[in-house]
Amino acid sequence: MKKTAIILISFLVVLGGGFLFLQNVNINRLGTDKYYTQIIGEGKKLEERATSGEVYVRYEYTLQAVKEDGEAKTVTFTSQNQLRQQAYLELFIKSDKGVTSYEEIKGDKIPQKAKENLM
């Protein structure tokens, strides 16, 4: 009986930990390099039609992004919504996949060296 209770409690702890991990960690950000950019111009509207006939709209952006150390490169990524003009973004980039995630941030969160090269 004691052994069964210990196994059950251990299973619930592992299950709960896995649930909390999936709720609080964006897997698309693991193993990425952080770059910073600013939205300049509107995204190019892309429309795709599903086999059901439903139309999906995405917006494609091609912008210059700067790493914390000042290294710059041009990146292309898509968004489901038109992004706010002049907004600063923190981009999460994997070398083999490109931009895997992004987040809007305030300008004062950008490292100084990156901000100098971004302007």
Side-chain angles (χ1 to χ4, degrees):
M1 183 71 173
K2 240 183 184 183
K3 211 177 204 182
T4 305
I6 290 172
I7 291 172
L8 181 61
I9 290 171
S10 298
F11 176 73
L12 291 175
V13 167
V14 169
L15 187 64
F19 180 75
L20 286 174
F21 176 80
L22 290 175
Q23 290 294 317
N24 296 313
V25 175
N26 186 338
I27 296 172
N28 290 325
R29 295 181 182 184
L30 296 176
T32 61
D33 294 321
K34 289 183 186 179
Y35 281 79
Y36 302 91
T37 192
Q38 185 176 22
I39 302 299
I40 299 170
E42 293 191 6
K44 177 182 169 187
K45 187 175 183 178
L46 305 173
E47 291 185 6
E48 296 177 2
R49 190 172 301 275
T51 55
S52 65
E54 190 174 354
V55 177
Y56 294 99
V57 177
R58 294 181 302 140
Y59 297 90
E60 181 179 77
Y61 293 88
T62 300
L63 300 166
Q64 175 151 341
V66 181
K67 218 173 183 180
E68 187 173 334
D69 63 5
E71 174 190 334
K73 73 179 193 176
T74 302
V75 296
T76 300
F77 64 98
T78 60
S79 171
Q80 293 178 339
N81 303 309
Q82 191 76 261
L83 298 175
R84 188 172 62 82
Q85 291 295 313
Q86 305 302 314
Y88 291 103
L89 297 181
E90 181 176 39
L91 304 174
F92 299 89
I93 300 175
K94 287 186 180 178
S95 58
D96 59 336
K97 293 184 179 181
V99 177
T100 58
S101 182
Y102 64 85
E103 178 179 9
E104 184 173 336
I105 60 172
K106 295 185 181 206
D108 60 356
K109 298 285 185 190
I110 299 175
Q112 188 60 36
K113 197 166 188 178
K115 197 172 209 175
E116 291 169 3
N117 291 347
L118 195 57
M119 301 297 181

